[in-house]
Amino acid sequence: MAQEFTRQQVAALEKRYDFKTAKSLGQNFVTDPSVTEGIIEAAGAGPKDLVIEIGPGLGVITSKAAANCGRLVAIEIDKKLLPILAETVGWQPNVKILNEDILQADLAKIVEEESVLPDGSKAENVRLIGNLPYYITTPILNKLMALPDLFTSLTVMVQKEVAEKMMAAPGAKNYGPLSIHVQYFCEIEYIMDVPKEVFLPQPKVDSSVLTLHVRKEPAVQVADEALFFETVKAGFSQRRKTLSNSLTGVRGKDRDTVVKALEDTGIDPKRRAETLSLQEFADVANRLA
Ligand code: SAM
């Protein structure tokens, strides 16, 4: 049976191993079993699924998630957590811990190598799960969004502010490249907010859990995906500028070409990037292509 990780049990486990949490590694452990269960339920992994977990920490989510899925591979950077994980999840034969940096890890290779379930069959879905280390949330999300085909879904706990950015709609203050990147590849399901008091040690801000369901086809059709993202990036790199200015130079296009592309798609060149929907960004990028 997977053990419970209440506040007292997390503190006792750390004490027994003389483990000191490292702020520099974003170590804030979940100490509320109902939150852990909410994350696992949201991930929706079944016995035919492979789960990849980012940052298992003490194994709070790992051990319960492994009880529900076919196989679980967790990637943890901190060597000092390995003996603790050996105790908390080492007894579960379908769990493997990789002592690696998620930003360096070859995820495609890991998924390919680890997709065989204990019964010899191939995993039907690969689901990612993780209470992400806050100091590298954006690079992790960027890495994951560059590999959209690898996963069926990604259930992540992130700072509330980052979750809001991911969900933001055109016109909102926090709408930007992250919103567009995630919404292009995934349908976002908001799961819950998690107050900071739930973690040990307590971080400064609240968190939210989201499940990103990877779309079979991106949200909008683009002729050249790289150009679409270049257009988005250029648009937001100078938020205050009008589109006719901020998009000049994308793929070497001069101002007249940009203005014409905007007008041809029915977009006023004086508008700013933060007002454009995904479809409008796609239309402009397709014209520029
Ligand atoms: N899953 C545990 C939980 O919810 O209690 C721990 C979550 S804690 C917010 C983030 C975890 O990610 C820590 O265990 C930390 O050591 C690990 N971590 C930090 N940087 C990492 C990296 N670059 N690669 C892999 N794991 C990392």
Side-chain angles (χ1 to χ4, degrees), residues 10 19 22 24-31 36 39 53-62 75-79 81 85 98-104 130-136 140 157 199-200:
V10 166
F19 178 80
S24 61
L25 291 178
Q27 291 175 342
N28 303 98
F29 301 132
V30 175
T31 64
T36 312
I39 294 172
E53 185 185 1
I54 298 178
L58 303 172
V60 174
I61 298 170
T62 326
I75 301 167
E76 173 55 62
I77 199 171
D78 190 353
K79 265 197 177 55
L81 287 164
L85 285 165
L98 299 176
N99 183 211
E100 285 188 44
D101 176 347
I102 183 64
L103 295 180
Q104 303 299 327
N131 171 12
L132 302 185
Y134 294 153
Y135 73 109
I136 46 169
I140 292 177
M157 176 137 67
F199 301 91
L200 196 70

Side-chain angles (χ1 to χ4, degrees), residues 131 217 239 278:
N131 171 12
E217 295 292 334
R239 270 181 181 265
L278 261 75

